[in-house]
Amino acid sequence: MNSIRLRARALRNRFCDTLAEDRGDVPGWVLITLMTAGLVVLIWAVAGPALTALFEQALSRVSGI
């Protein structure tokens, strides 16, 4: 019975130590977020005028103006 308790305690301690050490990859997530925002801005700058023209053309066809 003591053997099971000792093993359970050792497992719990190892698990708690692992959780305490795991801080995540914050710089990686920040980099991914900034790169995604940069891509959105770049795509919007390139495709913005074409999308605006497409939207206005669709509206004029629907409204009949």
Side-chain angles (χ1 to χ4, degrees):
M1 202 58 130
N2 279 340
S3 174
I4 294 172
R5 286 184 183 170
L6 288 175
R7 286 183 182 182
R9 183 178 297 161
L11 182 62
R12 186 189 70 212
N13 288 342
R14 189 169 33 179
F15 180 73
C16 289
D17 289 344
T18 301
L19 285 179
E21 293 173 3
D22 186 22
R23 296 177 52 209
D25 187 19
V26 174
W29 284 108
V30 170
L31 181 62
I32 289 171
T33 303
L34 290 176
M35 289 176 64
T36 302
L39 284 173
V40 168
V41 168
L42 179 66
I43 291 170
W44 193 276
V46 171
L51 290 173
T52 302
L54 183 66
F55 180 71
E56 289 174 354
Q57 181 184 13
L59 281 179
S60 67
R61 284 187 181 180
V62 170
S63 63
I65 298 175

